[in-house]
Amino acid sequence: MGNIFAPKTTRTQKVLGYFFMLLLALMMVAVFSNTLVNDVIYERLSLLAAALSLLLLIALFWGLKQKNSWIRVNLDNQARSPLKVIFSVTIGLPIILHFSLAKGLPVVLHTFTADKAVVIATIDDKRFGYYSRTCDGGLYLEGYRFWGNDYICGISKQDWDSYQAGDKLALYGNKSRIGFTYQKYTLLTDELLQQIIAQSAALRAQTITGNKGMSLEQPRKFIADSTPTPDSSSDPERLPQ
């Protein structure tokens, strides 16, 4: 694309350059984020990213057919083979758009709107092995279908070995309508479930006594502010990697 700060750079080139840098920044957020995006939102944004990728690729190939277009001029000035550049863009552009729009953008919005909450999640399966270059102690969760947005990391080795598909976890962190970021966890035992129910009932009684309206978010925030009582093998302070 060239240097967008060069004197002869057109406004169109600058806009596309800034747009590409924004996509790269959002992709970095997606790669290093611990947030699980709501599955429905992720699906819709994935479709949007696919449609946008198709439109941009059509525009790209249309520009390549124009002899005097800046796309064609920049491609002809590339030291690498034009076919390799076109192939890289055709593969890389949809991937960048997918992770930037389907996960990176929601994660940024989630950060500004999330509140403390506890989420009950069911383990769907374990990842192929405990140790990984990007995710030690990974667990797949039910309710999430898409690659890169269907597992949590940072489960201790002892817990990871003992947990099985169908086990339920209480995940403590920050939740919004867009997604959830967990910070600590514990296995959902009968004792913990009773504790959650009791805390919810106490909050409801307090609200009724004080004649104050109670939203659905208040019980979750009340529970999240409470210290969980983990089972003996859990490491509730372990953060996701």
Side-chain angles (χ1 to χ4, degrees), residues 64-77:
L64 290 175
K65 292 184 178 181
Q66 312 302 314
K67 294 183 179 180
N68 296 324
S69 68
W70 66 268
I71 297 178
R72 183 67 177 270
V73 172
N74 277 273
L75 186 63
D76 291 339
N77 293 331

Side-chain angles (χ1 to χ4, degrees), residues 43-69:
E43 180 179 24
R44 292 176 179 175
L45 291 178
S46 295
L47 293 175
L48 175 62
L52 185 58
S53 297
L54 181 61
L55 290 176
L56 290 178
L57 288 176
I58 291 174
L60 172 64
F61 286 110
W62 180 85
L64 290 175
K65 292 184 178 181
Q66 312 302 314
K67 294 183 179 180
N68 296 324
S69 68

Side-chain angles (χ1 to χ4, degrees), residues 18-223:
Y18 288 130
F19 177 68
F20 185 71
M21 288 191 291
L22 176 62
L23 290 180
L24 288 180
L26 289 175
M27 186 172 181
M28 296 297 290
V29 170
V31 171
F32 294 104
S33 171
N34 300 318
T35 300
L36 294 177
V37 177
N38 179 280
D39 206 56
V40 175
I41 294 177
Y42 194 97
E43 180 179 24
R44 292 176 179 175
L45 291 178
S46 295
L47 293 175
L48 175 62
L52 185 58
S53 297
L54 181 61
L55 290 176
L56 290 178
L57 288 176
I58 291 174
L60 172 64
F61 286 110
W62 180 85
L64 290 175
K65 292 184 178 181
Q66 312 302 314
K67 294 183 179 180
N68 296 324
S69 68
W70 66 268
I71 297 178
R72 183 67 177 270
V73 172
N74 277 273
L75 186 63
D76 291 339
N77 293 331
Q78 290 287 333
R80 293 175 294 177
S81 168
L83 291 178
K84 290 183 178 179
V85 175
I86 294 173
F87 178 78
S88 299
V89 172
T90 304
I91 299 298
L93 183 61
I95 295 176
I96 293 175
L97 278 172
H98 173 80
F99 283 102
S100 299
L101 297 182
K103 186 157 189 178
L105 180 59
V107 168
V108 172
L109 298 177
H110 162 80
T111 302
F112 293 104
T113 59
D115 290 313
K116 288 184 178 180
V118 61
V119 170
I120 307 302
T122 302
I123 299 174
D124 184 56
D125 198 3
K126 298 180 183 179
R127 298 198 76 190
F128 49 85
Y130 180 82
Y131 295 103
S132 170
R133 289 184 298 177
T134 58
C135 175
D136 289 345
L139 293 174
Y140 292 104
L141 301 180
E142 291 184 1
Y144 298 94
R145 297 170 292 162
F146 299 99
W147 176 68
N149 188 60
D150 57 352
Y151 60 86
I152 58 174
C153 304
I155 307 300
S156 71
K157 183 65 166 62
Q158 183 179 4
D159 291 339
W160 191 87
D161 288 335
S162 63
Y163 290 167
Q164 302 295 329
D167 288 347
K168 295 185 181 297
L169 299 177
L171 303 177
Y172 294 78
N174 298 306
K175 188 179 187 302
S176 69
R177 294 183 179 181
I178 300 173
F180 178 75
T181 305
Y182 102 97
Q183 297 171 341
K184 49 189 176 182
Y185 70 94
T186 184
L187 187 66
L188 184 64
T189 60
D190 292 339
E191 181 182 355
L192 178 59
L193 181 59
Q194 293 301 321
Q195 177 186 347
I196 292 175
I197 294 174
Q199 290 170 342
S200 299
L203 178 62
R204 181 178 295 274
Q206 179 183 347
T207 304
I208 294 174
T209 303
N211 291 324
K212 296 181 180 180
M214 180 179 65
S215 68
L216 294 177
E217 292 297 320
Q218 285 180 296
R220 282 208 299 255
K221 293 163 67 175
F222 179 82
I223 297 167

